[in-house]
């Protein structure tokens, strides 16, 4: 009888402990949370990309009642400014979370080169057809397998060409131009095929190089051009060619993700999705409205803006097509075929 009473008492104690655990407020469950989580960003909050990080951090703080606090580290300062090392550092836990560029992470995840295939995505509807559809889901599956938790898409934007020398209307106009690029072999191949001299350097190093004339030009979204005031460092000629766009990915380190309660994970995911939508709207502002007011603003700064005719753009497509064909199997033929099909079927 005594043994039975002891067993019943033990069972009751276990049940009570379980009930108390389940009934604990999230703040008590989260006692092992870090006091602060480190978010890596390439640029600061003056840019849409950095603004997306700020929005995400604010939403997470609100949705978790302050249990998850995020500090932004722009300039990829957690890894000494080397943006191509960001993904590896995230996977290793040096970084807790990030909004990362598909270009910067492509050396570690080759399928991300999809978005850098020259002239794959002709318009914003094409970007959306990829990121918001089956292709985007497949990329997330690949990223998860690579060791991070992808949550939402953002956008850096179409990367347009600028330089300090002359207007560029044809591949011949690019001959010998020293163009700053990120550390991607696909970018090196593309700009070499166009006759330029691609020069790999971080964004932090690039701006002084423009000012000194050591580098002639660069390619980046228009929001980067205006926020960085590139017209003040000699970038007086702009060519709208829309050769690639740069989707961004909101991700969390897997160990950090697994340390949170299910409710907080869902809160962080929803915050990322909401922040991603807001960030994309900011990134496209001035480019999707009638008359493209952002370009008007840039012209007002004394910049010569060149809009390619369909025939002029086709000349660039033709020159870079062998690079597209070379990289297609490296990215993954099935993935590229899926992307091409999704773009062909998009609603314009």
């Amino acid at each position: 009888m005594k043994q039975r009473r002891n067993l019943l008492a033990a069972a009751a104690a276990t049940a009570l402990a379980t009930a108390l655990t389940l009934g604990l407020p999230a703040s008590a469950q989260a006692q092992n949370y870090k006091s602060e989580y480190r978010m890596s960003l390439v640029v600061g909050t003056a840019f849409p990309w950095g603004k997306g990080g700020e929005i995400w951090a604010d939403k997470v703080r609100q949705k978790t009642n302050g249990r998850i606090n995020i500090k932004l580290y722009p300039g990829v300062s957690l890894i000494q400014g080397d943006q191509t090392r960001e993904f590896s550092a995230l996977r290793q836990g040096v970084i807790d979370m990030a909004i990362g560029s598909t270009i910067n992470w492509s050396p570690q995840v080759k399928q991300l080169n999809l978005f850098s295939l020259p002239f794959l995505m002709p318009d914003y509807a094409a970007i959306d057809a990829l990121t918001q559809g089956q292709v985007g889901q497949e990329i997330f599956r690949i990223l998860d397998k690579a060791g991070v938790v992808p949550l939402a898409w953002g956008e850096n934007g179409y990367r347009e060409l600028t330089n300090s020398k002359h207007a560029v209307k044809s591949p011949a106009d690019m001959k010998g131009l020293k163009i700053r690029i990120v550390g991607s072999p696909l970018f090196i191949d593309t700009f070499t095929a166009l006759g330029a001299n691609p020069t790999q350097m971080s964004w932090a190093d690039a701006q002084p190089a423009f000012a000194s004339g050591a580098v002639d030009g660069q390619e980046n979204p228009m929001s980067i051009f205006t926020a960085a005031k590139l017209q003040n460092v000699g970038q007086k000629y702009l060519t709208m060619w829309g050769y690639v766009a740069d989707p961004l990915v909101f991700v969390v380190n897997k160990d950090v993700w697994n340390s949170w309660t299910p409710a907080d994970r869902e809160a962080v995911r929803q915050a990322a999705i909401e922040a991603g939508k807001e960030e994309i709207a900011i990134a496209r502002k001035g480019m999707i409205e009638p008359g493209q007011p952002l370009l008007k603003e840039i012209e007002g700064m004394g910049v010569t803006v060149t809009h390619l005719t369909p025939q002029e753009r086709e000349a660039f497509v033709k020159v870079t097509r062998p690079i597209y064909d070379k990289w297609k199997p490296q990215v993954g033929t099935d993935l590229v075929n899926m992307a091409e099909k999704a773009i062909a079927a998009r609603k314009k």
Side-chain angles (χ1 to χ4, degrees), residues 225-226 229 231 236 296-303:
F225 185 100
T226 53
K229 298 181 171 59
Q231 75 279 1
K236 298 294 187 181
K296 293 285 189 290
E297 180 187 330
I298 291 170
E299 281 182 315
M301 299 169 182
V303 177

Side-chain angles (χ1 to χ4, degrees), residues 241-258:
W241 64 341
Y243 86 117
V244 300
D246 183 19
L248 305 174
V249 192
F250 290 62
V251 302
V252 177
N253 166 275
K254 276 202 169 176
D255 288 338
V256 168
W257 179 257
N258 290 331

Side-chain angles (χ1 to χ4, degrees), residues 1-249:
M1 180 65 77
K2 185 177 179 181
Q3 185 179 9
R4 188 161 182 262
R5 277 202 304 270
N6 289 341
L7 285 171
L8 287 170
T14 301
L16 179 61
T18 301
L20 286 171
T21 299
L22 292 174
L24 277 174
S27 57
Q29 292 180 26
Q31 61 183 338
N32 294 322
Y33 283 25
K34 295 182 183 181
S35 60
E36 186 176 87
Y37 293 88
R38 297 170 295 182
M39 183 194 297
S40 179
L41 296 161
V42 169
V43 296
T45 55
F47 303 82
W49 184 346
K51 191 71 178 171
E54 187 175 60
I55 294 169
W56 189 20
D58 288 345
K59 286 181 179 290
V60 167
R61 195 174 298 111
Q62 291 165 13
K63 290 178 184 291
T64 63
N65 295 316
R67 286 186 298 279
I68 298 177
N69 290 292
I70 299 166
K71 183 176 179 180
L72 276 53
Y73 287 83
V76 275
S77 54
L78 293 169
I79 44 172
Q80 293 75 51
D82 185 354
Q83 56 210 68
T84 58
R85 283 180 49 219
E86 187 177 54
F87 186 82
S88 297
L90 181 69
R91 191 164 47 190
Q92 293 160 2
V94 175
I95 295 167
D96 297 319
M97 52 210 304
I99 302 176
S101 158
T102 53
I103 297 169
N104 290 339
W105 294 356
S106 63
Q108 288 80 36
V109 185
K110 64 179 183 177
Q111 293 90 342
L112 293 178
N113 283 296
L114 171 72
F115 301 104
S116 298
L117 289 173
F119 302 100
L120 168 68
M121 299 172 287
D123 50 38
Y124 286 111
I127 303 175
D128 293 341
L130 300 188
T131 60
Q132 307 306 315
Q134 187 181 359
V135 171
Q137 292 170 13
E138 177 63 13
I139 293 289
F140 273 19
R141 187 191 67 76
I142 290 165
L143 285 171
D144 185 82
K145 193 174 178 183
V148 300
V149 182
L151 303 176
W153 289 99
E155 186 171 293
N156 196 19
Y158 274 101
R159 302 179 74 89
E160 311 295 2
L161 181 69
T162 73
N163 81 94
S164 60
K165 299 296 186 184
H166 52 248
V168 172
K169 294 184 177 181
S170 71
D173 294 329
M174 293 189 67
K175 188 171 176 60
L177 285 179
K178 197 168 185 179
I179 305 293
R180 177 266 175 182
I181 61 165
V182 293
S184 161
L186 174 48
F187 277 63
I188 292 171
D189 284 355
T190 298
F191 280 87
T192 301
L194 288 165
N197 178 8
T199 304
Q200 177 187 335
M201 61 175 60
S202 71
W203 184 240
D205 292 336
Q207 295 175 78
F210 302 142
S212 69
V215 173
D216 300 318
Q218 59 88 54
E219 42 76 63
N220 255 311
M222 290 300 88
S223 58
I224 299 282
F225 185 100
T226 53
K229 298 181 171 59
L230 293 183
Q231 75 279 1
N232 294 337
V233 287
Q235 299 301 290
K236 298 294 187 181
Y237 299 93
L238 163 63
T239 297
M240 302 298 294
W241 64 341
Y243 86 117
V244 300
D246 183 19
L248 305 174
V249 192

